[in-house]
Amino acid sequence: MSRRSVRTERRLFLADGPKAVEGALSVEGCVVEVFATPAALEHHATLLTGADVTLVDDRALASLSDSVSPAGVVAVCRHLDAPLQHVVTASPRLLAICADVRDPGNAGTVIRTADAAGADAVVLAGQSVDPYNPKTVRATVGSLFHLPFAIAPDPAAAVRAAQARGLTVLAADGGGEDDLFDVDLSGPTAWLFGNEAWGLPDELAALADHRVAIPIHGRAESLNLSTAAAVCLYASARAQRSSR
Amino acid sequence: MSRRSVRTERRLFLADGPKAVEGALSVEGCVVEVFATPAALEHHATLLTGADVTLVDDRALASLSDSVSPAGVVAVCRHLDAPLQHVVTASPRLLAICADVRDPGNAGTVIRTADAAGADAVVLAGQSVDPYNPKTVRATVGSLFHLPFAIAPDPAAAVRAAQARGLTVLAADGGGEDDLFDVDLSGPTAWLFGNEAWGLPDELAALADHRVAIPIHGRAESLNLSTAAAVCLYASARAQRSSR
């Protein structure tokens, strides 16, 4: 379950640990099978009530889990991503598009933060990391099961799909011409975030309606991807809340 | 250099890689010695101009570096932390106090983000991670060398010192009674951030002037520490900028 090819072919992935299993069980039809150690079954009895649990020993559980200290309960789950057109045609007011976000922890944190900020969906575009990577699933802390998301090979197509639905696409770009706190964020918005090392390719940033920089007041050169995404998404959340 | 006891005893630490070495060289009196491979010396000639560099081979460099792929240049540096009273008595307008922040990457990211948001200093209080941990230094991406910081064993003393200087202390607390976007952030403020797993102890949060929650709009339960800190610090930066 830990190799992408296997996960992709079978369209299955692993929810590892009680928080992820709880999220998976909350989505109808998502869970194929739950495995737990006797100790974990006892400890998480409430969580696992009604679930069809296969008991396994610690060693078998550890062989399933990617974690260095497995929590004793995992669920084999069906993939949850929706087609790009589905997450965009649902008239979102706030969308996050990740283009070539490669670090599993960053991608998971963006999904978690987008959920917290009230975004309607996340699009993992281009060469972005597999959202079903165990590290990504863990970093979402359950939000992978709450928030609609799409996998889109072509970031430009994702940008155009958002624009076609009336969303203003804002590229988060340290060299952008607009200051985050001067931009009108009250309307339907899609944020476009780039790779953690090299940012957004020029030709992709050029497709956005505006290129927006978070003001840097001190001597830091930049923010890291997941903190930058948090600042942008919450600036939108705040503006959209006060405009309603 | 990678064990805390050794680093603490000698009050020395390692700046690893060109970005960190550049930061260290920008601080007068910080660098004790620079080690570089011949290839790195050539590649980073501009950066190392005027520095006293000891040439070492790849193997010796690798034994100094904590990184899995060393960049070929490291600097042995003197500790940079200032006493708590110094960072507080400089009349800061924006301060970040970390109480028991244990993850090196999180602590480094908070320092980097505080720098970007224009904070005057960071206090690493209580059982917070050693700021000279190689992972922390790396995560600050140079900000460890730009931004004043203090190490304070007692978080309560740090809170009281900030209050004594007229700073309003805001505890970032998911269960806090005030909404981040309803609080007046225009005055001098110290943010208090707690441990990534269990947050702030009640008695410490009670010392703060207000307990402030970032509103959660979706189904996520919380934000992670470094993204929460980014949202709080940038909310302050924005309010302070517009009040000037």
Side-chain angles (χ1 to χ4, degrees), chain B residues 27 29 43 48 53 87 99 128 149 192 204 210 226 241:
Chain B
V27 181
H43 191 72
L48 297 172
V53 178
V87 308
S128 290
F149 65 96
L192 178 62
L204 186 61
H210 303 280
S226 57
R241 181 172 76 168

Side-chain angles (χ1 to χ4, degrees), chain A residues 196-231:
Chain A
E196 32 282 270
W198 59 80
L200 287 165
D202 288 345
E203 64 275 20
L204 185 60
L207 290 182
D209 297 289
H210 303 279
R211 283 141 298 279
V212 177
I214 297 172
I216 303 288
H217 300 290
R219 290 177 59 194
E221 283 176 25
S222 62
L223 292 167
N224 80 16
L225 174 75
S226 58
T227 55
V231 171

Side-chain angles (χ1 to χ4, degrees), chain A residues 19 109 112 115-118 143 146 179 181 214-224 226-227 231 234 238 241, chain B residues 19 109 112 115-118 143 146 179 181 214-224 226-227 230 234 238 241:
Chain A
K19 174 67 67 182
T109 301
R112 177 184 183 184
D115 186 14
S143 290
H146 301 154
D179 181 307
F181 299 123
I214 297 172
I216 303 288
H217 300 290
R219 290 177 59 194
E221 283 176 25
S222 62
L223 292 167
N224 80 16
S226 58
T227 55
V231 171
Y234 264 94
R238 176 185 197 165
R241 182 171 75 169
Chain B
K19 176 66 68 183
T109 302
R112 177 184 183 182
D115 185 14
S143 290
H146 302 154
D179 180 307
F181 298 123
I214 297 172
I216 304 287
H217 300 289
R219 290 177 60 194
E221 283 177 25
S222 62
L223 292 168
N224 81 14
S226 57
T227 54
Y234 263 94
R238 177 186 197 162
R241 181 172 76 168

Side-chain angles (χ1 to χ4, degrees), chain B:
Chain B
M1 290 300 290
S2 62
R3 282 187 298 119
R4 184 171 192 161
S5 60
V6 174
R7 290 195 304 265
T8 306
E9 195 183 307
R10 302 189 190 155
R11 301 219 17 107
L12 294 176
F13 72 104
L14 209 64
D16 194 347
K19 176 66 68 183
V21 172
E22 183 180 17
L25 288 169
S26 74
V27 181
E28 207 184 313
C30 172
V31 173
V32 179
E33 195 161 5
V34 178
F35 296 94
T37 61
L41 179 61
E42 196 184 324
H43 191 72
H44 302 292
T46 314
L47 166 66
L48 297 172
T49 303
D52 194 7
V53 178
T54 302
L55 282 175
V56 291
D57 63 16
D58 288 349
R59 199 161 145 191
L61 198 286
S63 75
L64 283 166
S65 173
D66 169 76
S67 172
V68 284
S69 51
V73 54
V74 301
V76 177
C77 301
R78 291 187 183 86
H79 278 197
L80 292 166
D81 53 287
L84 175 63
Q85 292 305 331
H86 285 205
V87 308
V88 178
T89 52
S91 305
R93 285 182 57 82
L94 184 57
L95 206 68
I97 303 172
C98 296
D100 302 337
V101 170
R102 300 306 297 272
D103 179 77
N106 278 337
T109 302
V110 171
I111 291 170
R112 177 184 183 182
T113 308
D115 185 14
D120 300 283
V122 170
V123 180
L124 295 158
Q127 299 297 312
S128 290
V129 66
D130 176 11
Y132 303 112
N133 179 306
K135 291 197 180 81
T136 310
V137 176
R138 205 174 306 133
T140 72
V141 195
S143 290
L144 192 80
F145 302 99
H146 302 154
L147 195 66
F149 65 96
I151 299 171
D154 179 9
V159 168
R160 288 198 199 92
Q163 288 168 327
R165 295 297 303 178
L167 290 154
T168 300
V169 176
L170 303 180
D173 179 349
E177 64 271 17
D178 292 337
D179 180 307
L180 174 64
F181 298 123
D182 294 334
V183 173
D184 178 8
L185 298 172
S186 59
T189 299
W191 278 102
L192 178 62
F193 303 114
N195 177 272
E196 31 281 269
W198 58 82
L200 287 165
D202 287 346
E203 62 276 18
L204 186 61
L207 291 182
D209 297 289
H210 303 280
R211 283 142 298 280
V212 178
I214 297 172
I216 304 287
H217 300 289
R219 290 177 60 194
E221 283 177 25
S222 62
L223 292 168
N224 81 14
L225 173 74
S226 57
T227 54
V231 171
C232 292
L233 289 166
Y234 263 94
S236 282
R238 177 186 197 162
Q240 294 191 352
R241 181 172 76 168
S242 54
S243 74
R244 282 182 196 186

Side-chain angles (χ1 to χ4, degrees), chain A residues 52-119:
Chain A
D52 194 6
V53 178
T54 302
L55 281 175
V56 291
D57 62 19
D58 288 347
R59 199 161 144 190
L61 198 286
S63 74
L64 284 167
S65 173
D66 169 75
S67 172
V68 285
S69 51
V73 54
V74 301
V76 176
C77 302
R78 290 185 185 87
H79 277 198
L80 291 165
D81 52 287
L84 175 64
Q85 292 305 331
H86 285 207
V87 307
V88 179
T89 53
S91 304
R93 284 183 56 84
L94 184 57
L95 206 68
I97 303 172
C98 295
D100 302 336
V101 170
R102 302 304 296 272
D103 179 77
N106 278 338
T109 301
V110 170
I111 292 170
R112 177 184 183 184
T113 308
D115 186 14

